[in-house]
Amino acid sequence: MSSPTHGGRLGRAAEPHTMPFTPRTPRVVAARRLHRRRDRDATGRFLAEGPQAVREALARPGTVAELFGTPAALDRHADLAARAAAADVPVSDVTDEALAALAETVAPQGLVAVCRHLDVPLSEALAAGPRLVAVLAEIRDPGNAGTVLRTADAAGAGAVVFAGDAVDPYNGKCVRASAGSLFHVDVVRAGDPLAVVAALRAAGLAVLATTGYGDRDLDDLADAGALATPTAWLFGSEAHGLPDGLTAVADARVRVPLHGRAESLNLAAAAAVCLYASARALRRRP
C-alpha cells in the first residue's frame, strides 16, 4: 500500500507506511465540512470533484490546497497526481468510503480537491477591461448558476458577478455545473446589485437587463449593431426574474424573441442566446 503522499508513485522520497485515510481521519473530516457554506466562508476553501475539475483547478497555480483520491483513481489519473505533487500539493490516498463522504455525486470518479476561493473584487475584475460580463442577480439555483457561468466562459466573458443574495459560487452543484469554467474567469461576489450596475457603467460597459417583458427585441438590437460594444448582461432567477429596481436602471430591457409556441426559455438557455449574440457582435466588430 502506498503512502498518502504517493512517494512510490511519483518517485519522491519514501515516507512511513500509512493506511489510506478513512471517513474518520481528521483531514477528511475537515474537508467534508466544506459541504456547508458557513465552513466554506470561514475557511476560504471549497471542494472540486472529479478529474475534469481537478485538472482545471491545477492549471490555475495556487488554487489546490490538497488532493484526495482512491488508490485506483490516483493510478488512473497519475498525471494529475504528479502535477499536484510537483506543485507541492499534498496528495492523499483515501478509502472508497472516505471518497464517498467527500463527494456529492451518486457515482463519484475517485478524486476530490480542496481548493482556495478564487473570487476577486469587482474593481479588480473591471480593471482587466472585460468586453463581456455576466451578472447573476439573486439567482438561487446552483445548477442554473453553474451552467450560466460555463456558458459565459464559452462565450468569452471575462467576469461573472454573483450579485445580491445569490447562490454561493462554491456550492458543490454550482462547481460541478460549471464544468471547470469556475477556474477560467474572474468570479466576483458583490452585495448590492445596484452598486454593481453603477460600477459596470462607470467602466464603460452597456448594461442590458434580460426580461420576458422587455421593450427591446434581442434580434433587433443585434441587427442594429447595438451589441458590438462592451456589454454586461443582467440575469435574474428563473422563478422571479430580475428585481424591478434593477431592470429600471439598465440601459435597455431586452427580451429573447420566441418564434414558436413555447411560453418562455429557461434561464440557462436565455443566457446562452444573449451571451452568444454579444460574443458574435464583438467578434465581428472591426
Side-chain angles (χ1 to χ4, degrees):
M1 184 71 66
S2 61
S3 74
T5 51
H6 287 266
R9 278 193 193 98
L10 303 177
R12 297 169 64 184
E15 301 199 13
H17 178 81
T18 307
M19 295 296 290
F21 291 166
T22 73
R24 294 187 179 184
T25 302
R27 279 158 62 182
V28 174
V29 172
R32 188 178 182 182
R33 292 194 185 106
L34 298 177
H35 291 313
R36 300 185 298 229
R37 180 168 186 168
R38 66 175 179 269
D39 288 284
R40 294 194 296 270
D41 288 343
T43 61
R45 298 190 176 192
F46 68 101
L47 299 179
E49 179 182 341
Q52 172 64 16
V54 170
R55 182 174 292 105
E56 300 307 320
L58 286 170
R60 187 163 175 162
T63 297
V64 179
E66 183 164 11
L67 177 61
F68 295 104
T70 62
L74 289 169
D75 283 338
R76 187 164 57 251
H77 302 288
D79 60 322
L80 299 181
R83 286 173 61 184
D88 291 325
V89 173
V91 180
S92 302
D93 280 339
V94 296
T95 63
D96 289 341
E97 293 77 13
L99 196 286
L102 292 169
E104 293 183 299
T105 55
V106 175
Q109 299 178 63
L111 296 178
V112 175
V114 176
C115 300
R116 298 177 178 90
H117 279 189
L118 306 163
D119 47 292
V120 300
L122 180 60
S123 58
E124 182 178 325
L126 294 179
R131 301 178 72 203
L132 185 59
V133 174
V135 180
L136 310 185
E138 302 189 358
I139 291 176
R140 307 288 184 85
D141 183 86
N144 269 336
T147 301
V148 175
L149 197 163
R150 179 181 184 180
T151 302
D153 176 28
V160 176
V161 182
F162 289 71
D165 190 17
V167 66
D168 177 13
Y170 305 116
N171 172 288
K173 188 173 181 179
C174 185
V175 174
R176 292 192 299 277
S178 80
S181 288
L182 176 69
F183 304 102
H184 299 164
V185 301
D186 283 340
V187 173
V188 177
R189 291 193 286 179
D192 183 359
L194 293 175
V196 169
V197 170
L200 292 166
R201 189 172 285 120
L205 286 89
V207 179
L208 304 180
T210 56
T211 169
Y213 305 100
D215 51 5
R216 303 295 302 274
D217 181 285
L218 178 65
D219 287 349
D220 292 342
L221 285 177
D223 291 344
L227 300 181
T229 185
T231 299
W233 283 96
L234 307 180
F235 302 110
S237 73
E238 191 159 314
H240 305 292
L242 286 165
D244 291 340
L246 203 54
T247 58
V249 298
D251 295 313
R253 286 144 293 284
V254 183
R255 67 182 184 277
V256 175
L258 300 174
H259 304 299
R261 298 173 61 186
E263 179 187 7
S264 62
L265 291 174
N266 68 21
L267 168 63
V273 172
C274 294
L275 289 166
Y276 267 91
S278 281
R280 183 171 187 268
L282 289 166
R283 287 185 63 196
R284 298 184 63 175
R285 183 179 180 181

